[in-house]
Amino acid sequence: MEHLLSAEEITPEVFGEIYQTAQSVKKALREGRKKFSVLRGKCVVNLFFEPSTRTRSSFEKAGKFLSADVINISTSTSSVKKGESLVDTLKNLDMMHPDVIVLRHPCEGAPYTAKPFVRAAIVNAGDGRHQHPTQALLDAATLKEHFGTLEGKRITIVGDIANSRVARSDAILFKKLGAEVFVYGPSTMMPRYPEAMGVKVLKSFDDVCDVSDAVVLLRIQLERLNAKKTFPSIREYAELFGLNRERLKKLRPETVILHPGPFNRGVELTNDVVVSDKTLIFRQVETGLAVRMVVLSLLCNRLERLKEEVK
Ligand code: CP
């Protein structure tokens, strides 16, 4: 794997390899081991043109745990503020010999634009509405850890599907791993051609409760839409499409709940959901760190070394 730009690139075999190694990494981290020499001499640049808590900090921790040099650049404190373009920013950074550039950008396709201008491996850490492949990896890994397999599982993604790179990435990987994927949300937040995503559209929250082994809740992507045009009010959205105490009771006993974060309490979910024993939301974050340690090692051709070190 030279770059990781889309969930399309992740085969079930690659996922299996990443999952197995991430499980060993997670065990090592839980045992308190926090320093590995796998990426000594390597350099990781985190270049974020959009806000992030989980993705950015976990890539930073991943690089540091693996002994890489890590440079964090956010646009608010970079020369992008002075008008420097994406390509010029990347060409300058490439002269500092990074091995991996982790790029988040509001424009769909930005990592593909970046690729010809750098020698480093690029990880797409989210490009507009398009893709967030490491989120798909960590979501699939969280579900595999819980269920043992995604084969035959019915997973429903609820919320702002049209504007969500998580929905797009998850749907691709979940289906590759044998799951059946459904979506539910306001019709104004549905993709125009859901069949092109290979998903089925559910008509009510009762359907979601009846069908789902797992429910992935999404945040409304207010930064990507004019909220007034897509739903009447936050209160109505919460009533119609949010997961709350009553709906939680209607879910099947074995159903689990995921959310990529950041979540908005009182909108797509209530406090009851956050504290429910059905939620895997914080487990996702822990898995995300391990998965990103594996991805960085893989892109630096050091996967075997990581496997050796975490034994
Ligand atoms: N899930 C996710 O991408 O979260 P952040 O925006 O905080 O990185």
Side-chain angles (χ1 to χ4, degrees):
M1 195 188 269
E2 280 182 52
H3 304 275
L4 180 55
L5 305 187
S6 164
E8 293 283 9
E9 296 156 20
I10 306 164
T11 62
E13 293 71 30
V14 167
F15 171 76
E17 181 97 80
I18 292 173
Y19 174 77
Q20 287 304 339
T21 315
Q23 290 300 102
S24 304
V25 169
K26 224 166 141 175
K27 184 168 172 288
L29 292 175
R30 281 182 179 178
E31 286 165 358
R33 297 167 60 199
K34 291 186 178 169
K35 208 67 182 169
F36 307 90
S37 66
V38 179
L39 296 187
R40 187 166 293 148
K42 300 285 182 184
C43 176
V44 176
V45 173
N46 285 324
L47 179 58
F48 278 62
F49 287 75
E50 272 189 343
S52 168
T53 297
R54 281 144 289 271
T55 313
R56 185 178 149 162
S57 57
S58 60
F59 269 114
E60 180 177 350
K61 271 324 288 181
K64 287 179 174 169
F65 280 158
L66 296 170
S67 301
D69 295 318
V70 181
I71 300 172
N72 292 309
I73 301 170
S74 68
T75 47
S76 57
T77 52
S78 75
S79 287
V80 172
K81 274 279 182 203
K82 301 176 199 162
E84 193 162 43
S85 71
L86 170 64
V87 167
D88 286 336
T89 303
L90 287 163
K91 283 168 85 170
N92 279 274
L93 289 171
D94 202 48
M95 288 298 116
M96 298 174 201
H97 306 286
D99 297 283
V100 181
I101 296 176
V102 180
L103 176 64
R104 172 169 287 189
H105 200 280
C107 296
E108 290 84 21
Y112 295 87
T113 305
K115 204 168 73 161
F117 296 99
V118 294
R119 291 160 294 177
I122 295 179
V123 179
N124 182 359
D127 59 330
R129 297 170 174 83
H130 180 225
Q131 280 288 310
H132 192 353
T134 57
Q135 184 71 47
L137 279 171
L138 77 90
D139 288 348
T142 303
L143 288 169
K144 184 170 167 60
E145 184 182 73
H146 183 81
F147 288 120
T149 180
L150 272 72
E151 191 75 48
K153 296 295 171 205
R154 302 175 124 202
I155 305 169
T156 307
I157 307 173
V158 177
D160 183 3
I161 311 296
N163 293 297
S164 172
R165 56 195 176 208
V166 175
R168 235 161 242 108
S169 308
D170 276 359
I172 290 169
L173 188 56
F174 292 169
K175 285 195 300 120
K176 281 190 189 196
L177 299 175
E180 198 175 352
V181 181
F182 301 84
V183 293
Y184 175 64
S187 56
T188 48
M189 290 178 166
M190 284 294 127
R192 193 168 296 174
Y193 303 107
E195 60 281 4
M197 278 175 74
V199 298
K200 292 180 192 143
V201 181
L202 297 178
K203 299 286 177 229
S204 70
F205 221 115
D206 282 345
D207 287 349
V208 175
C209 296
D210 289 344
V211 157
S212 313
D213 295 298
V215 178
V216 180
L217 300 170
L218 298 175
R219 181 178 65 87
I220 303 165
Q221 303 280 298
L222 288 172
E223 67 274 34
R224 305 193 206 290
L225 52 81
N226 179 347
K228 285 195 180 114
K229 287 185 185 159
T230 49
F231 59 92
S233 71
I234 293 281
R235 188 170 58 80
E236 274 183 333
Y237 179 90
E239 278 173 17
L240 292 169
F241 302 102
L243 185 52
N244 53 29
R245 186 180 300 181
E246 290 68 40
R247 290 181 180 136
L248 203 51
K249 286 185 203 148
K250 289 187 184 172
L251 289 172
R252 293 198 266 119
E254 68 275 19
T255 303
V256 292
I257 300 153
L258 285 79
H259 192 307
F263 54 77
N264 289 305
R265 292 179 200 242
V267 185
E268 69 269 24
L269 46 62
T270 59
N271 285 336
D272 313 277
V273 180
V274 179
V275 300
S276 160
D277 57 9
K278 288 177 163 298
T279 183
L280 301 179
I281 294 173
F282 298 105
R283 183 105 60 90
Q284 286 171 268
V285 180
E286 185 190 18
T287 304
L289 172 61
V291 160
R292 286 169 177 139
M293 286 172 70
V294 180
V295 167
L296 291 180
S297 304
L298 191 60
L299 291 173
C300 290
N301 292 317
R302 298 269 174 96
L303 186 63
E304 293 309 315
R305 201 157 146 182
L306 177 64
K307 285 185 195 171
E308 275 303 308
E309 279 204 38
V310 295
K311 258 185 193 163

